[in-house]
Amino acid sequence: MTNLHKIRARIRSVNSTQQITRTMKMIAVSKLRKTQTSLAGVRLFADKSQAVLNALLAGDASFEHPYLTPRRHVGRVCYVVFWGNRGLCGAYNQLLLRHLEGLVRAEARPCSVIVCGRWGRDVLAGTDLPVRQIFSDLSDTPTMAEALEIAEELKNLYRTGEADEIHLVYQRFDSVLHQTPTHRQLLPAAPEGSSLLTVGGCTLCDSCTRPQGKPCRRPGAISYSLESLGCDVGAAVGALWGWKLLWGERTRLPAYLTLVCAVLLP
């Protein structure tokens, strides 16, 4: 009889645990759907905002703005990493940490790291990352006030010259089971999804590192030339519009000037 009571008690305990587990699953599914809906709305807004920015950057080349105009000399780079507040999310944070460490190791210029999230505070002690600041008080659902605090700090770094480029490092959401560690340039703002092609070489830097066999200092903002892709600019302009390209001779300018550029789409 005692064993029968124990068996019945065990059955009740297992049933109770199953009920709790089912409830937790329902709550998790509800939170996941809410997050996915919010993410879809935010991503749509971000894509439209980026399209507007691309149109501005592709417009009048004489227009200058401190947050849009690349600096000729990039001396310091800042990486801003966003990860979770907790570690109970599989390899989400660990993969992002490895991606960040790879970026810092490959960076030839002086760089610093700003961390957003509580999880990083406990892990960074065992790394050699050049951490500048940690925003560890961010909530699980950050508010506009929290976002503005970080944004003001980053703008101040860029305005004062403490950082000549600022890059965001984060996990890009592909699906519930898959995220991709990635990074993108925040400041100065750069177009995404296309590349500007011009005639002649890139003039962003005073001296190019490519002829020396070294990587480009600014791969995200490099200006590619039409000739490097095998385009005969003179023949193309003549065939498409019937124009003849004129070239200057020593100190003499041609009778007219022709600006030729193109956009390379992904």
Side-chain angles (χ1 to χ4, degrees), residues 176-215:
V176 177
L177 300 178
H178 186 265
Q179 297 85 36
T180 304
T182 186
H183 66 281
R184 57 174 294 185
Q185 182 172 308
L186 176 67
L187 291 174
E192 287 189 348
S194 63
S195 298
L196 179 65
L197 304 179
T198 58
V199 177
C202 178
T203 58
L204 285 176
C205 304
D206 295 328
S207 61
C208 184
T209 57
R210 299 298 292 274
Q212 306 170 15
K214 298 180 180 179

Side-chain angles (χ1 to χ4, degrees), residues 140-265:
D140 292 338
T141 55
T143 62
M144 179 63 71
E146 292 172 324
L148 288 176
E149 179 184 0
I150 299 174
E152 288 299 326
E153 176 65 22
L154 299 183
K155 288 193 296 182
N156 183 60
L157 285 178
Y158 189 74
R159 279 196 307 264
T160 58
E162 296 183 66
D164 299 308
E165 280 185 2
I166 297 179
H167 297 261
L168 302 182
V169 184
Y170 59 96
Q171 288 275 23
R172 187 184 70 238
F173 180 84
D174 298 322
S175 67
V176 177
L177 300 178
H178 186 265
Q179 297 85 36
T180 304
T182 186
H183 66 281
R184 57 174 294 185
Q185 182 172 308
L186 176 67
L187 291 174
E192 287 189 348
S194 63
S195 298
L196 179 65
L197 304 179
T198 58
V199 177
C202 178
T203 58
L204 285 176
C205 304
D206 295 328
S207 61
C208 184
T209 57
R210 299 298 292 274
Q212 306 170 15
K214 298 180 180 179
C216 176
R217 297 189 188 97
R218 306 170 68 181
I222 187 173
S223 177
Y224 297 93
S225 67
L226 288 163
E227 296 90 343
S228 68
L229 300 180
C231 177
D232 187 336
V233 179
V237 171
L240 292 173
W241 296 287
W243 298 343
K244 181 180 179 180
L245 294 184
L246 301 181
W247 306 93
E249 297 180 3
R250 295 185 180 179
T251 58
R252 297 180 57 186
L253 292 175
Y256 57 85
L257 300 176
T258 306
L259 174 63
V260 181
C261 61
V263 175
L264 179 65
L265 298 176

Side-chain angles (χ1 to χ4, degrees), residues 30-50:
S30 176
K31 289 184 176 180
L32 178 60
R33 289 176 178 172
K34 182 179 180 180
T35 301
Q36 286 180 308
T37 302
S38 301
L39 178 61
V42 171
R43 178 167 291 179
L44 178 61
F45 175 80
D47 292 342
K48 294 296 183 182
S49 300
Q50 186 64 51

Side-chain angles (χ1 to χ4, degrees), residues 88-111:
L88 300 176
C89 48
Y92 182 93
N93 290 324
Q94 288 291 345
L95 291 177
L96 195 56
L97 176 61
R98 293 176 191 172
H99 182 70
L100 175 63
E101 289 177 330
L103 291 174
V104 173
R105 282 195 300 266
E107 183 60 68
R109 300 161 295 185
C111 64

